[in-house]
Structure formats: C-alpha cells, structure tokens
Amino acid sequence: MLKRLLLLCLAAVPLAPAAAADYPNRAIKMVVPFAPGGGTDILGRIIAQRLSEKCGQPVVVENQPGASGGIGTKAFVKVEPDGYTLLMASTGALMAASAALAPDGKFDVAKFFAPITVVAAPPYLLVINPNVKANSVAELIKLAGAKPKALSFGSSGIGAASHLSGALFEKDAHVELLHVPYKGTGPAVADLLGGRIDMMFSPSTTVQAHIAAGKLKVLATTGAKRSKFFPAVPTVAESGLPGYASVGWFGLLAPAHTPKDIVAKLNKTVVEIMGEKDVIDRMATLGAEPEPQTPDEFARYIDEDVAKWTRLVKEEHIVIPGAGK
C-alpha cells in the first residue's frame, strides 16, 4: 500500500510543470473592463495581437465595461486561475474594485490577482479651455483660490484616474473645484472644447490634436518628471505645486493562484513584446512608453498605488459608485 501511494505521489509531481510547459494550448481571453476605443482597450489589443502571434493561439479581447472598470475587474477575481483568462487593468479599474474587494481599506493585490507586468504608466495632461485666464499652474491655482468651485474639471467617471488626479490637485493646492463626471473621456473632452467645463486631467491621445489646433491649452503634465513626448511642457510639480505626481498605469493581471511558472512565462513573453520597435512606436502614439516590471515589482507597485489613492478617497470623502456592491 505504501509503495503504491509513493508511486502515485511521484507520478503527480511533474504534472504542474508539464502543464506550464504546454501553455498555452488553446485560446486565451483578455478581459478589458472598459468600452472599446479607450486607452486600456487600445493597449490591450496591441498586446493581445502580438501575444497571439508569439504563442500561436488566439487571444480574444472581451470588453466588460461599467462602473469605471469596477464591474469587469470584480467579476474577474472569480475566473479559473489557469492562465487562460487575463485582465488588462488600470488605475481606475483597480480603485473601482478595491473598495468592494477590501472594504476595510487594506487591499492586498495577491489575494485577488497574480500581477504579470505593467504595460505603461503615462502621465496625464492638465489642459484648460483657452477662455480660462491662466497660463501656468500657479496662475490656475490663484484663480481657483479666489473663487471656490467657480472652475470645473471633467473626468471619465467618479473614481477614474482622471478624477483622482483632479482630487489630488485640489487637496495639494488647497483649492475647491467643481467635479463634473462623464461616462468616458470623449464626452468630457467634447464639453471642454465647448467651454461647458474649464479644465481636465486627460490622456494625451484624446487632446493632442486639439492642443495642436489651438482649441485647448496645455499647462502641465502630471508625472514626477517631464514626459519624453512633451519635453517642453513642465510638470505640475515644477510649475506651481511641488510634490504633486499622478500617472494612470495599465497592466496585465491573471487571477490569484495562477501557477507561478505560467505567470513567469507570460511576463517573459509580454516583456519581449514591449521591447519590439513596432510596439514601442504604436504605444508612442498614445503618449505611452513600455514600463516592464517583474511580477513581484508590479505587485508592490499596485499595492502602493492603491494605498495612495485609497487614502485620498477617504480623506476627501469620495464615494465611488458600486464600490460596496
């Protein structure tokens, strides 16, 4: 009997590595928790196309929009952790889901996800309607301080990175702005162009053409350092608000308990993809550049980022729709 048990145990040992070595042997689904056409979706499709080509299996993008990315992200934690369902996540999506996943505020990414790698972490552009009488961040702060809530800023939704960037600006600058949430970046930019809102922390892709045409004015970028794509544009921190920094990251996640060798294989493949010139060039059109990390580095990055924004949400009493559901 003992000999039979020993043989059974020995036979079972190579199963996990063998499964990983054979991975993938069927189609992979990549969940994007936003509607088609946004930054998360575009980056997800860039990675999905090359991942499919390199792995020799279809990688099918499935959009599951709603609640600033929270619906698709919360549903994802329940999928089978076999590496055949991945999530293209973002700052806003994790924030929209984290309050429900960790109502005590102590979010630990490893409980719910197996991080693979950051894909990009581009800064936003602080843009204003030309009718706003400010030519710098310092002048904008002075204007906002003189009349609380007289200036409005739009976002792609409550809890989205564009909203949190504005809320952090308010807190650090000690000013009050009127937040106007929209169901996406597009409608917000349309109202900014029309003068119905005054300012916005926007992804560069949605406002570059309008800046070039003189329809919008860019005051700063939101990263800790200047963007290589906008070297002449100062950061918010260096132009009136020291210490300010906000980026909207995008990254690939698997469900928690996905075998580590599958996660490592995905990390290696995706990092290779992000090093390809064609991919670098396509990401540059989005104002983004590859930011590869190891799974452990990405896990720490997410935990620190969610903790930062969770503190802000709590301090500023921001209620994210659906967070408690």
Side-chain angles (χ1 to χ4, degrees):
M1 182 67 177
L2 181 61
K3 183 178 180 180
R4 184 180 177 186
L5 286 173
L6 181 60
L7 288 172
L8 287 172
C9 289
L10 289 172
V13 169
L15 287 180
D22 191 40
Y23 173 86
N25 56 23
R26 55 185 170 88
I28 297 171
K29 179 168 71 176
M30 181 185 291
V31 174
V32 173
F34 295 95
T40 312
D41 180 69
I42 295 171
L43 285 171
R45 290 177 188 277
I46 290 172
I47 299 300
Q49 178 185 338
R50 286 297 294 127
L51 186 60
S52 175
E53 292 166 354
K54 288 181 76 71
C55 293
Q57 296 291 340
V59 179
V60 182
V61 174
E62 182 177 294
N63 297 91
Q64 297 181 10
S68 298
I71 291 176
T73 303
K74 286 185 286 186
F76 180 80
V77 303
K78 300 175 183 178
V79 306
E80 188 70 24
D82 56 7
Y84 287 95
T85 306
L86 307 176
L87 177 73
M88 179 56 73
S90 69
T91 308
L94 258 290
M95 280 304 301
S98 65
L101 297 174
D104 60 358
K106 298 177 182 178
F107 182 80
D108 178 0
V109 68
K111 289 183 179 179
F112 309 103
F113 306 100
I116 297 169
T117 185
V118 168
V119 173
Y124 284 126
L125 298 183
L126 171 51
V127 289
I128 61 174
N129 184 283
N131 291 328
V132 177
K133 305 302 181 184
N135 293 307
S136 68
V137 170
E139 290 181 5
L140 185 67
I141 292 172
K142 185 176 180 179
L143 199 62
K147 292 184 179 180
K149 293 196 174 182
L151 288 178
S152 58
F153 79 98
S155 78
S156 57
I158 297 174
S162 52
H163 171 210
L164 298 177
S165 295
L168 181 64
F169 183 89
E170 288 183 277
K171 178 178 178 292
D172 288 358
H174 306 290
V175 298
E176 289 184 77
L177 304 171
L178 177 64
H179 175 225
V180 184
Y182 291 82
K183 294 181 179 180
T185 302
V189 173
D191 272 6
L192 180 61
L193 290 166
R196 287 175 285 277
I197 56 175
D198 300 305
M199 55 187 282
M200 188 174 173
F201 294 81
S202 173
S204 62
T205 47
T206 58
V207 293
Q208 279 180 7
H210 303 306
I211 293 169
K215 295 179 180 179
L216 294 177
K217 187 189 300 183
V218 58
L219 297 185
T221 62
T222 63
K225 59 183 180 180
R226 291 198 183 197
S227 166
K228 64 177 287 186
F229 303 110
F230 305 95
V233 179
T235 65
V236 171
E238 69 180 303
S239 57
L241 201 57
Y244 180 94
S246 174
V247 298
W249 61 262
F250 304 89
L252 202 60
L253 305 176
H257 310 301
T258 298
K260 289 186 178 181
D261 42 5
I262 288 180
V263 171
K265 189 171 185 177
L266 283 165
N267 173 271
K268 181 176 183 294
T269 305
V270 174
V271 168
E272 288 175 356
I273 288 169
M274 290 192 290
E276 296 172 358
K277 185 180 185 304
D278 180 58
V279 172
I280 293 171
D281 291 345
R282 291 173 69 186
M283 288 177 63
T285 66
L286 303 174
E289 58 183 315
E291 302 252 359
Q293 292 182 331
T294 67
D296 287 344
E297 288 171 339
F298 189 24
R300 289 193 294 271
Y301 182 92
I302 291 174
D303 283 337
E304 291 170 3
D305 191 65
V306 171
K308 169 185 174 177
W309 294 121
T310 299
R311 285 194 299 272
L312 179 71
V313 166
K314 186 175 181 179
E315 291 169 0
E316 300 302 304
H317 308 290
I318 297 171
V319 179
I320 299 176
K325 297 180 182 178

